[in-house]
Amino acid sequence: AQRVTQPEKLLSVFKGAPVELKCNYSYSGSPELFWYVQYSRQRLQLLLRHISRESIKGFTADLNKGETSFHLKKPFAQEEDSAMYYCALRGTGNKLVFGAGTILRVKS
Amino acid sequence: DGGITQSPKYLFRKEGQNVTLSCEQNLNHDAMYWYRQDPGQGLRLIYYSQIVNDFQKGDIAEGYSVSREKKESFPLTVTSAQKNPTAFYLCASSNHKASGYYEQYFGPGTRLTVT
């Protein structure tokens, strides 16, 4: 089965605090994972992909095949990080399987 | 201005009526997708098309229909058979033939309300 699980519906942190958005996946094979973000009144957009091993807006995510996880992290949250975050897995047929999403709320 | 457009932004219909949502892209992408976004359920795939004149059902295709007569266009019809049609609908496209990086690009969405 191809599945993505984001256990937290809402994560609320204070500005300057570390952030970790959890994502676990189920996939037989070599996974390709992504984080998408949807800011208020903006369209859904790609934040980062694991194969790039990049850091975007201070966010990083490491693929842990042993734990089947792809958690999104940022050391110091900013108010502009408040958004809906989706973890996604590239499945068969060039489809994306999305998790349920986590709302990140950064409080001042 | 390149990208994906969806129209209209808001759509209201009476129960029992079919309604068609528009999705157009000028990115020259081969693949196009329709998702439904509901609170707490993430994005669920309705239909997708990897090439003109071909499309496949996604996870929640019942009560929906699509066509792909042109590369640029992938309209979605919400039929009266869809039991819970009120939702936010997102269209996306991707160039799945490109080697290396894969990315889906999303439209702004259409919020459909059926009463």
Side-chain angles (χ1 to χ4, degrees), chain A residues 9 32 34 36 38 43-46 49 51-52 54 84 86 90 92-96 98-101, chain B residues 3-5 33 35 37 40-43 45 48 50 88 90 94 96 100-104 106-108:
Chain A
K9 288 186 178 179
E32 191 174 346
F34 307 83
Y36 277 78
Q38 190 171 30
R43 61 182 71 192
L44 192 63
Q45 59 188 288
L46 179 67
R49 62 194 108 209
I51 59 173
S52 301
E54 56 201 344
M84 171 71 90
Y86 290 100
R90 185 178 182 183
T92 54
N94 280 305
K95 296 181 291 183
L96 284 179
F98 285 87
Chain B
I4 303 178
T5 56
Y33 310 81
Y35 294 91
Q37 187 178 27
Q41 298 196 57
L43 275 71
L45 183 65
Y48 65 107
Q50 302 211 48
F88 190 60
L90 284 172
S94 71
H96 71 280
Y101 293 160
Y102 172 85
E103 180 176 351
Q104 284 192 14
F106 285 83

mmCIF file of all heavy atoms in Angstrom, chain A residues 9 32 34 36 38 43-46 49 51-52 54 84 86 90 92-96 98-101, chain B residues 3-5 33 35 37 40-43 45 48 50 88 90 94 96 100-104 106-108:
data_model
loop_
_atom_site.group_PDB
_atom_site.id
_atom_site.type_symbol
_atom_site.label_atom_id
_atom_site.label_comp_id
_atom_site.label_asym_id
_atom_site.label_seq_id
_atom_site.Cartn_x
_atom_site.Cartn_y
_atom_site.Cartn_z
ATOM 1 N N LYS A 9 -2.758 17.359 13.126
ATOM 2 C CA LYS A 9 -3.593 18.242 12.312
ATOM 3 C C LYS A 9 -3.148 19.679 12.489
ATOM 4 O O LYS A 9 -3.216 20.486 11.568
ATOM 5 C CB LYS A 9 -5.060 18.118 12.730
ATOM 6 C CG LYS A 9 -5.713 16.822 12.312
ATOM 7 C CD LYS A 9 -7.194 16.840 12.620
ATOM 8 C CE LYS A 9 -7.848 15.542 12.158
ATOM 9 N NZ LYS A 9 -9.300 15.514 12.465
ATOM 10 N N GLU A 32 10.128 8.495 -3.377
ATOM 11 C CA GLU A 32 10.460 9.874 -3.730
ATOM 12 C C GLU A 32 9.470 10.742 -2.970
ATOM 13 O O GLU A 32 8.258 10.647 -3.166
ATOM 14 C CB GLU A 32 10.326 10.082 -5.242
ATOM 15 C CG GLU A 32 10.898 11.395 -5.714
ATOM 16 C CD GLU A 32 10.900 11.518 -7.234
ATOM 17 O OE1 GLU A 32 10.710 10.496 -7.932
ATOM 18 O OE2 GLU A 32 11.068 12.649 -7.717
ATOM 19 N N PHE A 34 8.179 14.501 -1.002
ATOM 20 C CA PHE A 34 8.087 15.941 -1.179
ATOM 21 C C PHE A 34 7.365 16.570 0.014
ATOM 22 O O PHE A 34 6.567 15.920 0.682
ATOM 23 C CB PHE A 34 7.269 16.286 -2.439
ATOM 24 C CG PHE A 34 7.727 15.615 -3.691
ATOM 25 C CD1 PHE A 34 7.337 14.326 -3.998
ATOM 26 C CD2 PHE A 34 8.554 16.281 -4.581
ATOM 27 C CE1 PHE A 34 7.752 13.696 -5.160
ATOM 28 C CE2 PHE A 34 8.981 15.672 -5.750
ATOM 29 C CZ PHE A 34 8.582 14.380 -6.039
ATOM 30 N N TYR A 36 4.895 19.951 0.285
ATOM 31 C CA TYR A 36 4.208 21.053 -0.365
ATOM 32 C C TYR A 36 3.656 21.972 0.711
ATOM 33 O O TYR A 36 3.307 21.535 1.818
ATOM 34 C CB TYR A 36 3.051 20.530 -1.234
ATOM 35 C CG TYR A 36 3.467 20.052 -2.597
ATOM 36 C CD1 TYR A 36 4.065 18.800 -2.768
ATOM 37 C CD2 TYR A 36 3.274 20.844 -3.722
ATOM 38 C CE1 TYR A 36 4.451 18.357 -4.031
ATOM 39 C CE2 TYR A 36 3.657 20.407 -4.986
ATOM 40 C CZ TYR A 36 4.246 19.166 -5.121
ATOM 41 O OH TYR A 36 4.628 18.738 -6.367
ATOM 42 N N GLN A 38 0.978 25.441 1.498
ATOM 43 C CA GLN A 38 -0.112 26.304 1.017
ATOM 44 C C GLN A 38 -0.271 27.444 2.011
ATOM 45 O O GLN A 38 -0.807 27.266 3.112
ATOM 46 C CB GLN A 38 -1.403 25.498 0.913
ATOM 47 C CG GLN A 38 -2.531 26.203 0.207
ATOM 48 C CD GLN A 38 -3.706 25.258 -0.047
ATOM 49 O OE1 GLN A 38 -3.953 24.328 0.711
ATOM 50 N NE2 GLN A 38 -4.438 25.498 -1.112
ATOM 51 N N ARG A 43 -1.710 29.535 -3.857
ATOM 52 C CA ARG A 43 -1.894 28.180 -4.339
ATOM 53 C C ARG A 43 -0.864 27.229 -3.733
ATOM 54 O O ARG A 43 0.192 27.657 -3.256
ATOM 55 C CB ARG A 43 -1.833 28.140 -5.863
ATOM 56 C CG ARG A 43 -0.552 28.600 -6.495
ATOM 57 C CD ARG A 43 -0.651 28.558 -8.012
ATOM 58 N NE ARG A 43 -1.515 29.577 -8.569
ATOM 59 C CZ ARG A 43 -1.936 29.605 -9.832
ATOM 60 N NH1 ARG A 43 -1.573 28.654 -10.665
ATOM 61 N NH2 ARG A 43 -2.713 30.572 -10.285
ATOM 62 N N LEU A 44 -1.190 25.985 -3.751
ATOM 63 C CA LEU A 44 -0.289 24.951 -3.245
ATOM 64 C C LEU A 44 0.992 24.938 -4.075
ATOM 65 O O LEU A 44 0.947 24.997 -5.300
ATOM 66 C CB LEU A 44 -0.996 23.606 -3.348
ATOM 67 C CG LEU A 44 -0.378 22.398 -2.641
ATOM 68 C CD1 LEU A 44 -0.353 22.604 -1.146
ATOM 69 C CD2 LEU A 44 -1.149 21.134 -2.989
ATOM 70 N N GLN A 45 2.130 24.884 -3.414
ATOM 71 C CA GLN A 45 3.404 24.925 -4.135
ATOM 72 C C GLN A 45 4.418 23.996 -3.478
ATOM 73 O O GLN A 45 4.352 23.716 -2.286
ATOM 74 C CB GLN A 45 3.956 26.357 -4.165
ATOM 75 C CG GLN A 45 4.183 26.959 -2.793
ATOM 76 C CD GLN A 45 4.545 28.425 -2.856
ATOM 77 O OE1 GLN A 45 5.644 28.778 -3.270
ATOM 78 N NE2 GLN A 45 3.628 29.277 -2.454
ATOM 79 N N LEU A 46 5.368 23.562 -4.288
ATOM 80 C CA LEU A 46 6.412 22.682 -3.785
ATOM 81 C C LEU A 46 7.340 23.444 -2.853
ATOM 82 O O LEU A 46 7.804 24.543 -3.193
ATOM 83 C CB LEU A 46 7.208 22.109 -4.958
ATOM 84 C CG LEU A 46 8.352 21.181 -4.602
ATOM 85 C CD1 LEU A 46 7.836 19.884 -3.991
ATOM 86 C CD2 LEU A 46 9.190 20.877 -5.840
ATOM 87 N N ARG A 49 12.069 18.751 -2.027
ATOM 88 C CA ARG A 49 12.008 17.327 -2.394
ATOM 89 C C ARG A 49 13.257 16.646 -1.840
ATOM 90 O O ARG A 49 14.325 17.258 -1.788
ATOM 91 C CB ARG A 49 11.922 17.161 -3.901
ATOM 92 C CG ARG A 49 13.122 17.704 -4.649
ATOM 93 C CD ARG A 49 12.840 17.838 -6.134
ATOM 94 N NE ARG A 49 12.705 19.222 -6.541
ATOM 95 C CZ ARG A 49 11.963 19.649 -7.540
ATOM 96 N NH1 ARG A 49 11.255 18.800 -8.253
ATOM 97 N NH2 ARG A 49 11.906 20.922 -7.849
ATOM 98 N N ILE A 51 15.240 14.348 -2.906
ATOM 99 C CA ILE A 51 16.381 14.019 -3.754
ATOM 100 C C ILE A 51 17.311 15.220 -3.937
ATOM 101 O O ILE A 51 18.465 15.061 -4.292
ATOM 102 C CB ILE A 51 15.939 13.485 -5.127
ATOM 103 C CG1 ILE A 51 15.083 14.503 -5.874
ATOM 104 C CG2 ILE A 51 15.204 12.165 -4.959
ATOM 105 C CD1 ILE A 51 14.773 14.092 -7.301
ATOM 106 N N SER A 52 16.802 16.412 -3.674
ATOM 107 C CA SER A 52 17.627 17.598 -3.851
ATOM 108 C C SER A 52 18.502 17.875 -2.636
ATOM 109 O O SER A 52 19.479 18.602 -2.738
ATOM 110 C CB SER A 52 16.753 18.817 -4.109
ATOM 111 O OG SER A 52 15.977 18.623 -5.239
ATOM 112 N N GLU A 54 17.989 19.866 -0.311
ATOM 113 C CA GLU A 54 18.131 21.317 -0.267
ATOM 114 C C GLU A 54 17.481 21.870 0.993
ATOM 115 O O GLU A 54 16.740 21.195 1.699
ATOM 116 C CB GLU A 54 17.454 21.933 -1.496
ATOM 117 C CG GLU A 54 15.995 21.552 -1.630
ATOM 118 C CD GLU A 54 15.456 21.707 -3.044
ATOM 119 O OE1 GLU A 54 16.097 22.377 -3.871
ATOM 120 O OE2 GLU A 54 14.384 21.155 -3.330
ATOM 121 N N MET A 84 -0.419 25.699 5.699
ATOM 122 C CA MET A 84 -0.764 24.272 5.684
ATOM 123 C C MET A 84 0.373 23.544 4.971
ATOM 124 O O MET A 84 0.765 23.956 3.868
ATOM 125 C CB MET A 84 -2.076 24.051 4.941
ATOM 126 C CG MET A 84 -2.413 22.594 4.684
ATOM 127 S SD MET A 84 -2.888 21.708 6.168
ATOM 128 C CE MET A 84 -4.647 21.999 6.154
ATOM 129 N N TYR A 86 1.812 19.859 3.465
ATOM 130 C CA TYR A 86 1.474 18.509 3.043
ATOM 131 C C TYR A 86 2.735 17.739 2.687
ATOM 132 O O TYR A 86 3.592 18.231 1.947
ATOM 133 C CB TYR A 86 0.588 18.524 1.794
ATOM 134 C CG TYR A 86 -0.808 19.035 2.004
ATOM 135 C CD1 TYR A 86 -1.157 20.334 1.659
ATOM 136 C CD2 TYR A 86 -1.790 18.204 2.527
ATOM 137 C CE1 TYR A 86 -2.437 20.797 1.840
ATOM 138 C CE2 TYR A 86 -3.094 18.661 2.708
ATOM 139 C CZ TYR A 86 -3.403 19.958 2.363
ATOM 140 O OH TYR A 86 -4.685 20.414 2.536
ATOM 141 N N ARG A 90 5.651 10.161 -4.268
ATOM 142 C CA ARG A 90 5.417 9.881 -5.682
ATOM 143 C C ARG A 90 5.155 8.398 -5.824
ATOM 144 O O ARG A 90 6.030 7.565 -5.561
ATOM 145 C CB ARG A 90 6.630 10.271 -6.518
ATOM 146 C CG ARG A 90 6.410 10.113 -8.020
ATOM 147 C CD ARG A 90 7.638 10.562 -8.771
ATOM 148 N NE ARG A 90 7.472 10.478 -10.212
ATOM 149 C CZ ARG A 90 8.428 10.766 -11.085
ATOM 150 N NH1 ARG A 90 9.608 11.170 -10.663
ATOM 151 N NH2 ARG A 90 8.203 10.660 -12.375
ATOM 152 N N THR A 92 3.008 5.011 -7.957
ATOM 153 C CA THR A 92 2.992 4.422 -9.286
ATOM 154 C C THR A 92 2.146 5.269 -10.227
ATOM 155 O O THR A 92 1.206 5.945 -9.787
ATOM 156 C CB THR A 92 2.423 2.996 -9.232
ATOM 157 O OG1 THR A 92 1.136 3.053 -8.596
ATOM 158 C CG2 THR A 92 3.340 2.077 -8.440
ATOM 159 N N GLY A 93 2.481 5.243 -11.502
ATOM 160 C CA GLY A 93 1.723 6.012 -12.474
ATOM 161 C C GLY A 93 1.951 7.504 -12.384
ATOM 162 O O GLY A 93 1.124 8.297 -12.827
ATOM 163 N N ASN A 94 3.067 7.910 -11.826
ATOM 164 C CA ASN A 94 3.384 9.340 -11.687
ATOM 165 C C ASN A 94 2.299 10.104 -10.955
ATOM 166 O O ASN A 94 1.938 11.230 -11.323
ATOM 167 C CB ASN A 94 3.642 9.983 -13.055
ATOM 168 C CG ASN A 94 5.035 9.692 -13.550
ATOM 169 O OD1 ASN A 94 6.002 9.972 -12.854
ATOM 170 N ND2 ASN A 94 5.135 9.107 -14.713
ATOM 171 N N LYS A 95 1.764 9.487 -9.937
ATOM 172 C CA LYS A 95 0.784 10.151 -9.096
ATOM 173 C C LYS A 95 1.434 10.547 -7.784
ATOM 174 O O LYS A 95 2.410 9.946 -7.358
ATOM 175 C CB LYS A 95 -0.386 9.203 -8.818
ATOM 176 C CG LYS A 95 -1.184 8.806 -10.039
ATOM 177 C CD LYS A 95 -2.318 7.886 -9.663
ATOM 178 C CE LYS A 95 -1.818 6.532 -9.228
ATOM 179 N NZ LYS A 95 -2.933 5.602 -8.918
ATOM 180 N N LEU A 96 0.872 11.559 -7.148
ATOM 181 C CA LEU A 96 1.304 11.931 -5.810
ATOM 182 C C LEU A 96 0.257 11.453 -4.809
ATOM 183 O O LEU A 96 -0.936 11.660 -5.008
ATOM 184 C CB LEU A 96 1.473 13.443 -5.685
ATOM 185 C CG LEU A 96 2.717 14.059 -6.321
ATOM 186 C CD1 LEU A 96 2.713 15.567 -6.129
ATOM 187 C CD2 LEU A 96 3.986 13.439 -5.770
ATOM 188 N N PHE A 98 -0.877 12.151 -1.083
ATOM 189 C CA PHE A 98 -0.714 13.195 -0.086
ATOM 190 C C PHE A 98 -1.146 12.724 1.297
ATOM 191 O O PHE A 98 -2.066 11.905 1.447
ATOM 192 C CB PHE A 98 -1.561 14.420 -0.453
ATOM 193 C CG PHE A 98 -1.005 15.235 -1.578
ATOM 194 C CD1 PHE A 98 -1.296 14.931 -2.895
ATOM 195 C CD2 PHE A 98 -0.183 16.322 -1.316
ATOM 196 C CE1 PHE A 98 -0.779 15.676 -3.937
ATOM 197 C CE2 PHE A 98 0.337 17.083 -2.351
ATOM 198 C CZ PHE A 98 0.043 16.767 -3.660
ATOM 199 N N GLY A 99 -0.482 13.288 2.317
ATOM 200 C CA GLY A 99 -0.967 13.119 3.666
ATOM 201 C C GLY A 99 -2.126 14.067 3.919
ATOM 202 O O GLY A 99 -2.508 14.858 3.053
ATOM 203 N N ALA A 100 -2.684 13.993 5.116
ATOM 204 C CA ALA A 100 -3.854 14.797 5.465
ATOM 205 C C ALA A 100 -3.508 16.255 5.710
ATOM 206 O O ALA A 100 -4.409 17.098 5.750
ATOM 207 C CB ALA A 100 -4.549 14.217 6.690
ATOM 208 N N GLY A 101 -2.223 16.549 5.872
ATOM 209 C CA GLY A 101 -1.809 17.926 6.068
ATOM 210 C C GLY A 101 -1.690 18.311 7.529
ATOM 211 O O GLY A 101 -2.388 17.768 8.394
ATOM 212 N N GLY B 3 1.300 29.221 -16.538
ATOM 213 C CA GLY B 3 0.809 28.547 -15.354
ATOM 214 C C GLY B 3 -0.482 27.818 -15.595
ATOM 215 O O GLY B 3 -0.830 27.475 -16.728
ATOM 216 N N ILE B 4 -1.170 27.551 -14.507
ATOM 217 C CA ILE B 4 -2.437 26.825 -14.546
ATOM 218 C C ILE B 4 -3.540 27.750 -14.065
ATOM 219 O O ILE B 4 -3.408 28.397 -13.021
ATOM 220 C CB ILE B 4 -2.387 25.593 -13.634
ATOM 221 C CG1 ILE B 4 -1.243 24.685 -14.038
ATOM 222 C CG2 ILE B 4 -3.691 24.839 -13.685
ATOM 223 C CD1 ILE B 4 -1.109 23.471 -13.154
ATOM 224 N N THR B 5 -4.603 27.805 -14.807
ATOM 225 C CA THR B 5 -5.734 28.624 -14.408
ATOM 226 C C THR B 5 -6.942 27.733 -14.199
ATOM 227 O O THR B 5 -7.146 26.746 -14.918
ATOM 228 C CB THR B 5 -6.049 29.689 -15.462
ATOM 229 O OG1 THR B 5 -6.275 29.046 -16.726
ATOM 230 C CG2 THR B 5 -4.887 30.654 -15.619
ATOM 231 N N TYR B 33 -4.059 16.597 -13.511
ATOM 232 C CA TYR B 33 -4.666 15.896 -12.379
ATOM 233 C C TYR B 33 -5.802 16.726 -11.795
ATOM 234 O O TYR B 33 -5.737 17.969 -11.786
ATOM 235 C CB TYR B 33 -3.630 15.678 -11.263
ATOM 236 C CG TYR B 33 -2.322 15.078 -11.715
ATOM 237 C CD1 TYR B 33 -1.334 15.868 -12.292
ATOM 238 C CD2 TYR B 33 -2.061 13.722 -11.554
ATOM 239 C CE1 TYR B 33 -0.128 15.326 -12.700
ATOM 240 C CE2 TYR B 33 -0.854 13.168 -11.957
ATOM 241 C CZ TYR B 33 0.108 13.972 -12.528
ATOM 242 O OH TYR B 33 1.309 13.428 -12.933
ATOM 243 N N TYR B 35 -7.791 17.066 -8.028
ATOM 244 C CA TYR B 35 -7.846 16.669 -6.629
ATOM 245 C C TYR B 35 -9.036 17.342 -5.960
ATOM 246 O O TYR B 35 -9.476 18.412 -6.365
ATOM 247 C CB TYR B 35 -6.593 17.125 -5.873
ATOM 248 C CG TYR B 35 -5.319 16.482 -6.306
ATOM 249 C CD1 TYR B 35 -4.528 17.055 -7.300
ATOM 250 C CD2 TYR B 35 -4.863 15.308 -5.707
ATOM 251 C CE1 TYR B 35 -3.335 16.473 -7.692
ATOM 252 C CE2 TYR B 35 -3.661 14.726 -6.091
ATOM 253 C CZ TYR B 35 -2.908 15.319 -7.074
ATOM 254 O OH TYR B 35 -1.714 14.740 -7.449
ATOM 255 N N GLN B 37 -9.961 18.736 -2.105
ATOM 256 C CA GLN B 37 -9.334 19.072 -0.828
ATOM 257 C C GLN B 37 -10.422 19.296 0.209
ATOM 258 O O GLN B 37 -11.251 20.192 0.062
ATOM 259 C CB GLN B 37 -8.459 20.335 -0.978
ATOM 260 C CG GLN B 37 -7.639 20.672 0.241
ATOM 261 C CD GLN B 37 -6.765 21.911 0.012
ATOM 262 O OE1 GLN B 37 -7.091 22.781 -0.788
ATOM 263 N NE2 GLN B 37 -5.645 21.982 0.712
ATOM 264 N N GLY B 40 -8.960 18.090 6.975
ATOM 265 C CA GLY B 40 -8.631 16.865 7.695
ATOM 266 C C GLY B 40 -8.415 15.640 6.830
ATOM 267 O O GLY B 40 -8.077 14.569 7.332
ATOM 268 N N GLN B 41 -8.613 15.795 5.510
ATOM 269 C CA GLN B 41 -8.444 14.628 4.622
ATOM 270 C C GLN B 41 -7.366 14.842 3.568
ATOM 271 O O GLN B 41 -7.087 13.955 2.777
ATOM 272 C CB GLN B 41 -9.767 14.299 3.933
ATOM 273 C CG GLN B 41 -10.869 13.928 4.906
ATOM 274 C CD GLN B 41 -12.034 13.238 4.232
ATOM 275 O OE1 GLN B 41 -11.850 12.208 3.593
ATOM 276 N NE2 GLN B 41 -13.217 13.786 4.376
ATOM 277 N N GLY B 42 -6.769 15.997 3.557
ATOM 278 C CA GLY B 42 -5.714 16.238 2.592
ATOM 279 C C GLY B 42 -6.257 16.339 1.182
ATOM 280 O O GLY B 42 -7.413 16.698 0.963
ATOM 281 N N LEU B 43 -5.408 16.018 0.227
ATOM 282 C CA LEU B 43 -5.791 16.042 -1.180
ATOM 283 C C LEU B 43 -6.055 14.608 -1.629
ATOM 284 O O LEU B 43 -5.206 13.733 -1.450
ATOM 285 C CB LEU B 43 -4.677 16.629 -2.038
ATOM 286 C CG LEU B 43 -4.622 18.139 -2.176
ATOM 287 C CD1 LEU B 43 -4.180 18.786 -0.884
ATOM 288 C CD2 LEU B 43 -3.685 18.536 -3.309
ATOM 289 N N LEU B 45 -7.082 12.214 -4.959
ATOM 290 C CA LEU B 45 -7.037 12.229 -6.416
ATOM 291 C C LEU B 45 -8.356 11.743 -7.003
ATOM 292 O O LEU B 45 -8.829 10.656 -6.666
ATOM 293 C CB LEU B 45 -5.879 11.349 -6.900
ATOM 294 C CG LEU B 45 -5.627 11.306 -8.394
ATOM 295 C CD1 LEU B 45 -5.187 12.682 -8.913
ATOM 296 C CD2 LEU B 45 -4.556 10.272 -8.713
ATOM 297 N N TYR B 48 -6.870 11.506 -13.347
ATOM 298 C CA TYR B 48 -5.653 12.041 -13.908
ATOM 299 C C TYR B 48 -5.510 11.595 -15.360
ATOM 300 O O TYR B 48 -6.104 10.602 -15.780
ATOM 301 C CB TYR B 48 -4.416 11.650 -13.077
ATOM 302 C CG TYR B 48 -4.096 10.172 -13.031
ATOM 303 C CD1 TYR B 48 -3.014 9.659 -13.732
ATOM 304 C CD2 TYR B 48 -4.844 9.308 -12.239
ATOM 305 C CE1 TYR B 48 -2.699 8.312 -13.669
ATOM 306 C CE2 TYR B 48 -4.540 7.963 -12.177
ATOM 307 C CZ TYR B 48 -3.468 7.469 -12.878
ATOM 308 O OH TYR B 48 -3.163 6.127 -12.814
ATOM 309 N N GLN B 50 -2.432 11.267 -18.396
ATOM 310 C CA GLN B 50 -0.997 11.355 -18.691
ATOM 311 C C GLN B 50 -0.736 11.770 -20.133
ATOM 312 O O GLN B 50 0.393 12.114 -20.483
ATOM 313 C CB GLN B 50 -0.328 10.013 -18.396
ATOM 314 C CG GLN B 50 -0.514 9.575 -16.949
ATOM 315 C CD GLN B 50 0.622 8.753 -16.409
ATOM 316 O OE1 GLN B 50 1.773 9.111 -16.562
ATOM 317 N NE2 GLN B 50 0.297 7.639 -15.771
ATOM 318 N N PHE B 88 -13.412 21.991 -2.134
ATOM 319 C CA PHE B 88 -12.441 22.808 -2.858
ATOM 320 C C PHE B 88 -11.728 21.886 -3.838
ATOM 321 O O PHE B 88 -11.194 20.854 -3.448
ATOM 322 C CB PHE B 88 -11.457 23.423 -1.851
ATOM 323 C CG PHE B 88 -10.557 24.469 -2.422
ATOM 324 C CD1 PHE B 88 -11.077 25.629 -2.988
ATOM 325 C CD2 PHE B 88 -9.189 24.319 -2.375
ATOM 326 C CE1 PHE B 88 -10.241 26.607 -3.517
ATOM 327 C CE2 PHE B 88 -8.343 25.287 -2.886
ATOM 328 C CZ PHE B 88 -8.870 26.440 -3.457
ATOM 329 N N LEU B 90 -8.872 21.214 -6.793
ATOM 330 C CA LEU B 90 -7.576 21.659 -7.286
ATOM 331 C C LEU B 90 -7.177 20.885 -8.533
ATOM 332 O O LEU B 90 -7.300 19.668 -8.577
ATOM 333 C CB LEU B 90 -6.496 21.448 -6.224
ATOM 334 C CG LEU B 90 -6.466 22.436 -5.052
ATOM 335 C CD1 LEU B 90 -5.476 21.966 -4.013
ATOM 336 C CD2 LEU B 90 -6.101 23.821 -5.538
ATOM 337 N N SER B 94 1.905 18.226 -14.613
ATOM 338 C CA SER B 94 3.317 17.898 -14.465
ATOM 339 C C SER B 94 3.872 17.443 -15.790
ATOM 340 O O SER B 94 3.136 16.958 -16.670
ATOM 341 C CB SER B 94 3.520 16.794 -13.414
ATOM 342 O OG SER B 94 3.059 15.545 -13.895
ATOM 343 N N HIS B 96 5.811 14.727 -16.736
ATOM 344 C CA HIS B 96 6.339 13.485 -16.178
ATOM 345 C C HIS B 96 7.387 12.840 -17.051
ATOM 346 O O HIS B 96 8.065 11.947 -16.623
ATOM 347 C CB HIS B 96 5.204 12.494 -15.907
ATOM 348 C CG HIS B 96 4.585 11.926 -17.150
ATOM 349 N ND1 HIS B 96 3.659 12.617 -17.893
ATOM 350 C CD2 HIS B 96 4.760 10.754 -17.771
ATOM 351 C CE1 HIS B 96 3.285 11.869 -18.917
ATOM 352 N NE2 HIS B 96 3.928 10.745 -18.881
ATOM 353 N N GLY B 100 14.998 13.427 -14.024
ATOM 354 C CA GLY B 100 15.419 14.207 -12.872
ATOM 355 C C GLY B 100 14.250 14.651 -12.044
ATOM 356 O O GLY B 100 13.470 13.853 -11.575
ATOM 357 N N TYR B 101 14.100 15.936 -11.888
ATOM 358 C CA TYR B 101 13.114 16.459 -10.964
ATOM 359 C C TYR B 101 11.692 16.283 -11.451
ATOM 360 O O TYR B 101 11.384 16.517 -12.604
ATOM 361 C CB TYR B 101 13.372 17.939 -10.712
ATOM 362 C CG TYR B 101 14.655 18.207 -9.963
ATOM 363 C CD1 TYR B 101 15.246 19.452 -10.008
ATOM 364 C CD2 TYR B 101 15.275 17.216 -9.228
ATOM 365 C CE1 TYR B 101 16.421 19.710 -9.333
ATOM 366 C CE2 TYR B 101 16.446 17.454 -8.546
ATOM 367 C CZ TYR B 101 17.027 18.693 -8.598
ATOM 368 O OH TYR B 101 18.183 18.936 -7.932
ATOM 369 N N TYR B 102 10.833 15.881 -10.519
ATOM 370 C CA TYR B 102 9.408 15.746 -10.779
ATOM 371 C C TYR B 102 8.692 16.740 -9.892
ATOM 372 O O TYR B 102 8.984 16.857 -8.708
ATOM 373 C CB TYR B 102 8.954 14.313 -10.457
ATOM 374 C CG TYR B 102 7.461 14.116 -10.511
ATOM 375 C CD1 TYR B 102 6.818 13.847 -11.718
ATOM 376 C CD2 TYR B 102 6.686 14.190 -9.362
ATOM 377 C CE1 TYR B 102 5.452 13.661 -11.763
ATOM 378 C CE2 TYR B 102 5.320 14.008 -9.400
ATOM 379 C CZ TYR B 102 4.708 13.737 -10.599
ATOM 380 O OH TYR B 102 3.348 13.556 -10.648
ATOM 381 N N GLU B 103 7.729 17.463 -10.470
ATOM 382 C CA GLU B 103 6.971 18.422 -9.678
ATOM 383 C C GLU B 103 5.588 18.572 -10.265
ATOM 384 O O GLU B 103 5.427 18.609 -11.483
ATOM 385 C CB GLU B 103 7.669 19.782 -9.672
ATOM 386 C CG GLU B 103 6.935 20.856 -8.858
ATOM 387 C CD GLU B 103 7.699 22.154 -8.781
ATOM 388 O OE1 GLU B 103 8.870 22.195 -9.198
ATOM 389 O OE2 GLU B 103 7.103 23.152 -8.314
ATOM 390 N N GLN B 104 4.594 18.655 -9.411
ATOM 391 C CA GLN B 104 3.250 18.997 -9.866
ATOM 392 C C GLN B 104 3.015 20.470 -9.558
ATOM 393 O O GLN B 104 3.321 20.948 -8.457
ATOM 394 C CB GLN B 104 2.202 18.127 -9.163
ATOM 395 C CG GLN B 104 2.146 16.713 -9.702
ATOM 396 C CD GLN B 104 0.936 15.931 -9.216
ATOM 397 O OE1 GLN B 104 -0.011 16.490 -8.684
ATOM 398 N NE2 GLN B 104 0.987 14.621 -9.409
ATOM 399 N N PHE B 106 0.203 23.512 -9.291
ATOM 400 C CA PHE B 106 -1.205 23.579 -8.947
ATOM 401 C C PHE B 106 -1.860 24.884 -9.389
ATOM 402 O O PHE B 106 -1.241 25.946 -9.410
ATOM 403 C CB PHE B 106 -1.385 23.421 -7.435
ATOM 404 C CG PHE B 106 -1.200 22.006 -6.979
ATOM 405 C CD1 PHE B 106 0.065 21.499 -6.747
ATOM 406 C CD2 PHE B 106 -2.294 21.180 -6.812
ATOM 407 C CE1 PHE B 106 0.246 20.178 -6.352
ATOM 408 C CE2 PHE B 106 -2.133 19.860 -6.413
ATOM 409 C CZ PHE B 106 -0.857 19.361 -6.188
ATOM 410 N N GLY B 107 -3.144 24.771 -9.708
ATOM 411 C CA GLY B 107 -3.949 25.935 -9.979
ATOM 412 C C GLY B 107 -4.439 26.556 -8.684
ATOM 413 O O GLY B 107 -4.202 26.014 -7.593
ATOM 414 N N PRO B 108 -5.160 27.677 -8.781
ATOM 415 C CA PRO B 108 -5.630 28.384 -7.585
ATOM 416 C C PRO B 108 -6.841 27.736 -6.922
ATOM 417 O O PRO B 108 -7.171 28.063 -5.788
ATOM 418 C CB PRO B 108 -5.981 29.777 -8.108
ATOM 419 C CG PRO B 108 -6.317 29.544 -9.537
ATOM 420 C CD PRO B 108 -5.430 28.435 -10.011
#
